[in-house]
Amino acid sequence: MPHIVTAAELPVAELLIRAEQWRTRLQANPAPPVQPRAALIALLFYEPSTRTRAAFEQACVLLGCHPLVITAEASSIVKGESLQDTVRTLCAQGVRGIVIRHPQAGAPVAAVQVADAPILNAGDGAHEHPTQALLDLYTLWRRYGMPDPTTRWLAGRKVAIVGDIRHSRVARSNLTLLTQAGAEVWLCAPPTLLPDAPLPHATHTHDTDAAIRDADVVMALRLQTERMAQGLLPSLNAYRRDYQINAERLRLAKPDCVVMHPGPIQRGVEIDDAVADGAQSLILEQVRNGVSVRVAALEYALGEW
Ligand code: CP
């Protein structure tokens, strides 16, 4: 059964091509005819989400499935039911797939151990967010003219990921896919927001100018204050001064550098308005691409290609 737990296990080239087919189909008709089927997909969200949840809900509808959204506050989770018992319960009711977002790293792996339906990781703690990394890669792949996705098509490109690397599942999943495609990846954060142990195949720095200089891609990350121990970030003003992606700092990058952000954005903190809404920004393009990528990912997990 093809679960999606980490970015490393994704059949990336096939998913990029499949996502592009869906994008083309949705551009021609945003509400294409759908063959309804009696298939429930559970969307088990133990943490808030806008983009990922909405995209997976749309993916379910586009595939003729019914999304069954379950949030932590409105389920038996609040009565003490474990994740694994919740997964067993949903499988006993015949769901065809389970999308899980969870604050604990490793939760999707625990779910896989008891599930008889595919598990799709929609973000687990600071561990992985594979479909976010896939949609980020897809956005860059389109930007660079859809080269052969089986090659190292990002070779010679520098990607600077700037922000709260320590708590970022997006950074970890992106690092896997970006380096697989040949990119040189720089991870930039204040020393307290870098990981305890360096992540593989990346340059780590707390010098934002060095990270951004000559970059082809700058990806800003949100400060995840909900996951931060006290004292990790002594001053928000100092963070803005040293790490915010703004027009002045962006001038250090290549002239055709693009700016990305997985969202949600904290405007005026990790990125300023002029950059977030500027001509170099791919942020809304990332959101749009999130739908076709989730349709492709769900089709893959359902064993339909
Ligand atoms: N990027 C992302 O995961 O956004 P949401 O939390 O809104 O799903």
Side-chain angles (χ1 to χ4, degrees):
M1 200 182 329
H3 303 286
I4 296 180
V5 174
T6 65
E9 67 202 355
L10 293 171
V12 173
E14 293 88 340
L15 284 164
L16 294 181
I17 290 164
R18 198 79 185 195
E20 180 60 18
Q21 289 166 353
W22 271 103
R23 185 185 153 111
T24 305
R25 193 182 299 176
L26 293 172
Q27 263 177 343
N29 182 0
V34 171
Q35 184 70 43
R37 48 179 153 174
L40 280 175
I41 306 292
L43 307 184
L44 193 52
F45 276 69
Y46 287 66
E47 264 189 357
S49 166
T50 299
R51 280 149 284 272
T52 311
R53 181 178 143 178
F56 271 117
E57 281 199 57
Q58 284 188 65
C60 291
V61 171
L62 287 164
L63 292 177
C65 302
H66 186 79
L68 180 68
V69 179
I70 299 171
T71 58
E73 318 80 72
S75 72
S76 290
I77 296 158
V78 290
K79 300 178 194 165
E81 186 170 67
S82 71
L83 170 67
Q84 287 190 323
D85 280 336
T86 303
V87 168
R88 284 188 187 100
T89 300
L90 292 168
C91 289
Q93 291 185 338
V95 298
R96 289 278 313 280
I98 304 179
V99 178
I100 296 182
R101 169 164 293 192
H102 200 285
Q104 291 296 324
V109 173
V112 163
Q113 286 163 0
V114 297
D116 54 17
I119 299 294
L120 292 93
N121 181 3
D124 62 324
H127 179 222
E128 287 254 9
H129 195 348
T131 60
Q132 176 68 46
L134 186 65
L135 79 86
D136 294 339
L137 193 77
Y138 174 64
T139 303
L140 289 176
W141 183 62
R142 296 199 85 256
R143 175 76 183 188
Y144 294 131
M146 294 188 279
D148 180 349
T150 62
T151 63
R152 287 171 64 80
W153 55 274
L154 279 173
R157 302 274 184 193
K158 178 180 178 183
V159 180
I161 305 180
V162 182
D164 183 358
I165 305 290
R166 186 184 189 88
H167 300 102
S168 179
R169 53 200 180 206
V170 173
R172 284 167 179 75
S173 292
N174 259 293
L175 181 58
T176 300
L177 297 193
L178 291 168
T179 53
Q180 258 178 24
E184 172 193 351
V185 179
W186 287 54
L187 301 175
C188 176
T192 51
L193 294 180
L194 282 170
D196 288 334
L199 302 177
H201 313 300
T203 302
H204 296 64
T205 183
H206 47 86
D207 179 345
T208 313
D209 290 356
I212 291 183
R213 188 165 292 111
D214 297 324
D216 297 280
V217 180
V218 174
M219 183 182 295
L221 298 177
R222 181 175 70 89
L223 283 176
Q224 300 193 39
T225 46
E226 73 276 19
R227 298 191 212 282
M228 275 185 206
Q230 278 196 338
L232 277 185
L233 192 68
S235 155
L236 202 54
N237 279 338
Y239 183 83
R240 280 194 193 95
R241 183 194 63 216
D242 295 337
Y243 296 96
Q244 185 184 79
I245 307 304
N246 53 37
E248 188 189 342
R249 198 156 262 144
L250 203 53
R251 276 196 276 277
L252 294 169
K254 288 190 180 149
D256 61 351
C257 175
V258 291
V259 175
M260 305 178 81
H261 192 308
I265 297 174
Q266 295 174 107
R267 288 171 178 269
V269 181
E270 70 268 9
I271 191 166
D272 77 356
D273 286 346
V275 173
D277 303 328
Q280 289 167 278
S281 173
L282 293 181
I283 295 171
L284 288 179
E285 181 69 2
Q286 288 171 266
V287 175
R288 272 189 287 275
N289 290 339
V291 175
S292 34
V293 163
R294 265 59 178 249
V295 184
L298 191 55
E299 272 187 319
Y300 164 69
L302 293 174
E304 298 193 349
W305 50 276

